[in-house]
Structure formats: structure tokens, C-alpha cells
Amino acid sequence: MESLTAKLCAFARAWHSSHSDHTVFNDFLALDFMGQEEYEKVSNFILKRFPQESENSVEFFNRKYFLPIVLSRSRFAEDRVKLESQSGKIQYVICGAGVDTFSFRNKNPNVEVFELDLLATQSYKKKRIQELHWNIAENVHFVAIDFSKDRIIDKLVENGFDRQKPTVVSILGVSYYLPLSVFAETIRQFSEIATTGISIIFDYLQKGAFTAPVLQLKKIVADCGETMAEGFRDHEVFDALERNGFKVDEFLGESALQQRYFRTGNLKAFDSVRLIAAIK
């Protein structure tokens, strides 16, 4: 089963698509995938566990802690996929896909999708897809993987991955729970999966961030039964990328995120979150 924080992220996407007057990222299938019953459960969870001094604590909770992170990274990744697919066929590898709905929103035949996740999470997702009577396109592959044991390239190739095709890899929401050494090893493995152009997209929290929003986010995650790691320093991330042959193509900190995605509306870029697109 997917984690509680994954449900909160899906809830945030669903809430934004139906409540916002300034849509940063429109996951119009998020609510359908969750189902009204699950949506209400998560909403009630927020109301009971995280009361805020606001007339609408669900809206306050989403705007303050989850929407700025979830919306910007999803938009960043999918904009990149759209850009790179304009030149021809590409592969899009989604790490820790969870309840991501890109495979069903995507109408571009140039994009072949590989969803990587734990078997239990994928079993839940496939069951839900069956209940919704959604069709899984031929260019979508579900790759069950245990990241702590399996070699990523082996699992991908077993499921039809072509090492000759340009590839975009998104690793979103993963680094928050990993030490730098483990995340650097993930980058190393992805540096080997394609023999031609590869782009990786990921987000991380800056190490040493102790502002009130960051501390509260860590508490929220802890209340969900998960533990956030300490984060990374920017130069550590750049060094890990360089060691594995990657060059930073885009780097968005708070001010850049605010300018690109939140210039209008009532959302503010989350403190100390970074987005990176790197190429090899």
C-alpha cells in the first residue's frame, strides 16, 4: 500500500485541480483515482491531526506545506518530458511512481512510460485501475522493483527498456528520506541506464534548513510514520552529479520557483526546496 505522505500528495493534487483559480499543475485524474471515499478520509485526517488557525484548515494545510512542493516538481518534470519529446521518441522513467497519473493523462505517442515502484504499491494501483475500467496503453510498463536489492537497469531491460533511446528519469519526493550516499548511488545507477542522451529530474531539501515551515513539515511527516533525512547541501549534489558524468541544465531555488510557478495566486515557494534537471 502506498505511504500516507503519498496519499497526502495525491490529495493535494486532487484538491488543487478542483479548488484553485490559478492552476499550476492540473492533475485532473487525481480525484478519480483516489475516489471520493479515500479523498474524504484524507481530508478528515488533516482536520483531526493537523488543525490550523484558519477558517479552512485543509486549504491552509495544502497551501502551506504540500502544494508548493508537489505542484512545482510535477510541473517541472512533465514540462521537461514535453520539451524533450518534441524531437522524437523518448522513454520516461518514473521512480517511485505511486499514484502518479501521467500514464493516463499523456496523449503523446512519442513518450513511452516506465513506472518503477514496489510490488505492493503497484498491485494496489493496478487493482484501482481495474476498478475504474481505465485502459493501460501499450506504451506504459509497470516495473516492480525493490530499490534496495534490484539493479535498476536489469529490471528496466526485462520490461522492454531500450538503452539506445533518449530517456528522461524523474526521481521526485525520494531524496527527502535518503542519506546523500544512497541518493548518490541512485544517480550512479541512472547514469548507466542509457547509452545516448539521458536527463534526470529530482528535488531535494537543503541541508541545515531549520525554518518554521521546514520543521513543521518534518513533524507532519513523522506523524505519518515516516522520517525525513537531513537533506543535502547544494555543492554535495553538484559534486555527485559531476562524478557520474551529469551536467546541471536547470537549477531552481526558492526565488526561481516563485518566479516561474507562483507569480500569481496565493501560493509561495517552499523554503529550502531545490529542483534540478541534469543531463548526460
Side-chain angles (χ1 to χ4, degrees):
M1 184 65 70
E2 76 282 6
S3 71
L4 184 50
T5 53
K7 286 185 177 182
L8 287 170
C9 290
F11 176 84
R13 294 196 302 270
W15 186 93
H16 180 69
S17 293
S18 57
H19 287 81
S20 177
D21 57 359
H22 173 66
T23 304
V24 176
F25 177 77
N26 186 14
D27 188 348
F28 55 87
L29 293 179
L31 179 56
D32 288 343
F33 190 88
M34 288 192 77
Q36 193 63 42
E37 182 178 353
E38 189 69 32
Y39 182 88
E40 294 297 333
K41 282 183 180 178
V42 176
S43 179
N44 290 332
F45 175 84
I46 294 171
L47 288 168
K48 291 177 181 178
R49 298 289 295 275
F50 309 116
Q52 306 288 347
E53 295 179 3
S54 170
E55 292 182 3
N56 188 334
S57 57
V58 172
E59 178 179 358
F60 181 89
F61 174 86
N62 275 332
R63 285 196 295 105
K64 187 76 172 177
Y65 300 109
F66 275 76
L67 287 176
I69 300 174
V70 172
L71 299 179
S72 58
R73 72 189 184 196
S74 297
R75 174 73 180 273
F76 183 68
E78 294 193 16
D79 281 353
R80 189 83 187 193
V81 170
K82 182 178 179 180
L83 176 66
E84 299 206 15
S85 64
Q86 289 175 354
S87 302
K89 294 186 179 298
I90 67 167
Q91 297 169 128
Y92 180 32
V93 178
I94 308 175
C95 260
V99 295
D100 188 288
T101 65
F102 175 83
S103 293
F104 300 93
R105 288 181 286 104
N106 175 52
K107 303 301 180 186
N108 186 347
N110 278 345
V111 182
E112 188 164 11
V113 185
F114 294 82
E115 292 199 14
L116 273 62
D117 218 322
L118 296 170
L119 178 60
T121 301
Q122 290 198 336
S123 297
Y124 163 80
K125 187 169 190 175
K126 288 179 179 179
K127 180 175 182 292
R128 184 63 186 142
I129 290 168
Q130 189 174 32
E131 292 170 349
L132 291 166
H133 303 291
W134 288 1
N135 293 320
I136 300 175
E138 291 184 1
N139 64 340
V140 174
H141 310 270
F142 291 97
V143 182
I145 187 170
D146 182 338
F147 290 102
S148 66
K149 299 177 181 177
D150 300 324
R151 287 187 73 234
I152 294 170
I153 184 59
D154 292 342
K155 286 294 182 180
L156 282 169
V157 170
E158 286 173 13
N159 287 271
F161 182 83
D162 185 348
R163 299 183 72 172
Q164 302 298 320
K165 285 184 181 178
T167 301
V168 177
V169 178
S170 67
I171 320 171
L172 304 178
V174 174
S175 69
Y176 298 88
Y177 307 98
L178 301 177
L180 178 64
S181 59
V182 174
F183 192 68
E185 170 59 20
T186 303
I187 292 174
R188 187 197 66 76
Q189 287 198 45
F190 277 117
S191 72
E192 300 176 347
I193 70 170
T195 56
T196 55
I198 177 170
S199 301
I200 58 172
I201 300 159
F202 60 92
D203 58 335
Y204 65 95
L205 184 69
Q206 192 175 42
K207 186 175 182 178
F210 299 113
T211 62
V214 171
L215 293 175
Q216 181 62 18
L217 178 64
K218 289 185 175 182
K219 182 180 183 302
I220 290 169
V221 171
D223 287 343
C224 291
E226 301 172 35
T227 303
M228 288 179 66
E230 60 183 2
F232 311 143
R233 299 195 189 282
D234 295 338
H235 73 85
E236 294 174 332
V237 175
F238 279 57
D239 288 346
L241 289 168
E242 185 176 350
R243 284 198 307 272
N244 290 286
F246 284 102
K247 177 183 178 182
V248 174
D249 192 49
E250 284 191 278
F251 173 83
L252 302 182
E254 296 153 62
S255 59
L257 286 167
Q258 186 69 36
Q259 182 70 13
R260 182 176 295 191
Y261 301 120
F262 307 122
R263 286 170 58 185
T264 58
N266 57 5
L267 293 175
K268 183 179 182 299
F270 196 83
D271 184 37
S272 300
V273 165
R274 306 285 190 254
L275 277 173
I276 281 185
I279 57 176
K280 181 177 180 180

